[in-house]
Amino acid sequence: MSTSTLIPPAPTPARPAHRDGNVLRWLAAHTSSLVGDSVYYMALAWAAARSGSAGQAGLVLAVGAVPRALLMLGGGVVADRFGPRRVVIGSDAARSLIILGMAAVLLFTGPHLWLLIVLALVFGAVDAVLLPALGALPPRITGPGELARVQGLKGLSARIANITGAPLGGLAVALGGTAATFAVAGGLFAVSTVLLVRVRIARLDGDGQRAKEPALRELADGLRYIRRHRTLAPLMIVIAVGELGFAAPLNIGLTLLAKERAWGAAGMGWIVAAFGAGAGAASLLLSVRGRVPRAGLVLPVSLLGGTTAIAGLAFAPSVAWAAVAGVCIGLLAGLSGALCGALTQTATEPAYLGRVTAVASLFTMGVAPLGYPLAGAAIGLWGTTPVFLASAGVCAAGALTGLASAQLRRAELPR
């Protein structure tokens, strides 16, 4: 097998992914990057709150999503054209330099609002290039039969980042202020870059064999590829609709639910922790088991189960019952989300992985957050119960779309 790097290509692993040193190096890099993200957003939020009003702070946090959404599809073209290894390493290194540069600037000036807005815009633009390339990496670092296990490991990595990132950012703010917190985030991105350089990346069949075309034509080609693909087309609809249903209640909705029912911050914390425990259990299950039989059928069924749990959360009479619903939502959403990732990487031809991942990432990280203000306004008008039920209905539509597709129902993960 040929390779485009000086590092030997990743062979088909003789051991499961969780015992493969190459995969574990990638996982360590991914975890360091995710913790860096948490610390970065902590630093940005703290700096924005100090330099402006609450509304201005919200603007700073939201503005980074704009270039991410606008440029995400173009990021998929970049990943497919130049190869995910170059793009991931270059993007991670750029994030490190940008954030360390901001830390240096803050040693000499205050966290002015305009400066934070520029930082958020630039960081969001780099993310738009990074995220599609990240999704194209797993099939190039492990064998096809290990992709579900890799998705489980990614889920565990996200749980670790959620647990450690915020406390680390808070400690950095308390001990060294905003500049030190940005420096910690930049350092974590640098560690991720160094680890990624040592990850062996294999070339897959078809890599580098297509003629380079204008970027817009490559993008249109990728969208046509998804539309004509009998598995990917319904799978992208499931991802898009399911994420729209899950995103609002699990973000803005939980906060307003706890407020409406006088459960307080502690009650909301228990529900969020329960959701994290369920999602962690799903990730651990996939990490250990490595494969789910009849994955194409399990995906919409688990999404439908999560839909039922969201509807149950709307009627939870106490924090305890809401936490039970949170565990179920986390478990089933974590399982369906991991299967979406594994099936996407399995069904997609290597030459299109960046663009297909970009479309999926656009739905999950670009379009879905746009529903937060609408959900907040709807809860203000009608309360949490009808909004949670509406969200459950949206999720159910996504699940039924998956069940209606015979090709998706029959989709299997490689052994």
Side-chain angles (χ1 to χ4, degrees):
M1 181 180 294
S2 60
T3 179
S4 61
T5 73
L6 297 178
I7 299 174
T12 301
R15 292 181 294 177
H18 63 292
R19 298 177 183 174
D20 183 353
N22 193 54
V23 174
L24 294 178
R25 278 192 295 274
W26 165 81
L27 186 66
H30 185 65
T31 304
S32 180
S33 183
L34 288 179
V35 176
D37 281 336
S38 295
V39 175
Y40 159 73
Y41 284 111
M42 171 73 73
L44 189 66
W46 181 259
R50 289 185 56 202
S51 61
S53 64
Q56 290 172 327
L59 173 65
V60 170
L61 292 175
V63 74
V66 175
R68 187 183 298 118
L70 293 178
L71 302 176
M72 186 76 75
L73 296 181
V77 174
V78 172
D80 285 336
R81 174 173 289 193
F82 297 103
R85 181 178 189 269
R86 291 179 184 176
V87 176
V88 168
I89 292 175
S91 300
D92 229 16
R95 298 204 306 171
S96 178
L97 293 174
I98 290 166
I99 302 306
L100 290 175
M102 174 57 73
V105 168
L106 291 179
L107 294 176
F108 303 98
T109 185
H112 303 295
L113 192 65
W114 68 267
L115 186 62
L116 298 176
I117 289 175
V118 170
L119 172 64
L121 288 171
V122 173
F123 195 86
V126 175
D127 261 1
V129 178
L130 172 68
L131 293 172
L134 281 175
L137 272 185
R140 292 171 166 88
I141 63 173
T142 190
E146 293 298 313
L147 289 176
R149 180 171 275 128
V150 166
Q151 293 299 315
L153 292 172
K154 280 183 65 178
L156 290 176
S157 174
R159 301 280 77 78
I160 292 171
N162 289 340
I163 293 170
T164 61
L168 179 60
L171 181 63
V173 168
L175 296 179
T178 306
T181 310
F182 277 121
V184 170
L188 287 165
F189 294 141
V191 170
S192 174
T193 303
V194 171
L195 289 170
L196 283 170
V197 169
R198 298 304 308 160
V199 175
R200 300 188 307 275
I201 308 294
R203 282 174 63 95
L204 301 178
D205 292 341
D207 279 358
Q209 295 180 6
R210 59 190 182 87
K212 299 296 188 296
E213 299 178 347
L216 288 178
R217 186 175 298 176
E218 289 195 34
L219 175 57
D221 182 42
L223 296 177
R224 281 194 299 270
Y225 173 78
I226 294 173
R227 179 171 57 84
R228 295 171 180 173
H229 200 290
R230 297 178 64 188
T231 301
L232 288 176
L235 181 57
M236 290 299 112
I237 295 174
V238 171
I239 291 172
V241 178
E243 188 66 28
L244 283 173
F246 270 117
L250 295 181
N251 289 279
I252 183 72
L254 277 184
T255 302
L256 297 178
L257 177 69
K259 180 180 179 181
E260 179 182 276
R261 302 188 183 178
W263 291 341
M268 186 184 71
W270 279 110
I271 301 170
V272 171
F275 171 81
S283 298
L284 184 61
L285 172 66
L286 281 174
S287 300
V288 173
R289 184 175 178 82
R291 183 178 178 273
V292 175
R294 306 193 68 181
L297 178 61
V298 173
L299 165 58
V301 170
S302 61
L303 182 58
L304 198 59
T307 295
T308 304
I310 291 177
L313 186 60
F315 296 102
S318 65
V319 172
W321 281 108
V324 171
V327 170
C328 295
I329 295 171
L331 178 65
L332 296 167
L335 179 60
S336 62
L339 291 177
C340 282
L343 286 169
T344 297
Q345 292 167 354
T346 299
T348 306
E349 295 177 25
Y352 290 95
L353 265 171
R355 281 165 288 178
V356 173
T357 301
V359 171
S361 298
L362 178 64
F363 291 136
T364 57
M365 303 191 69
V367 176
L370 299 179
Y372 298 170
L374 295 177
I379 289 173
L381 289 173
W382 301 300
T384 56
T385 298
V387 173
F388 272 67
L389 291 177
S391 295
V394 172
C395 284
L400 293 175
T401 299
L403 289 172
S405 170
Q407 190 72 19
L408 181 57
R409 289 199 313 271
R410 291 194 295 265
E412 286 280 9
L413 295 174
R415 292 184 179 276

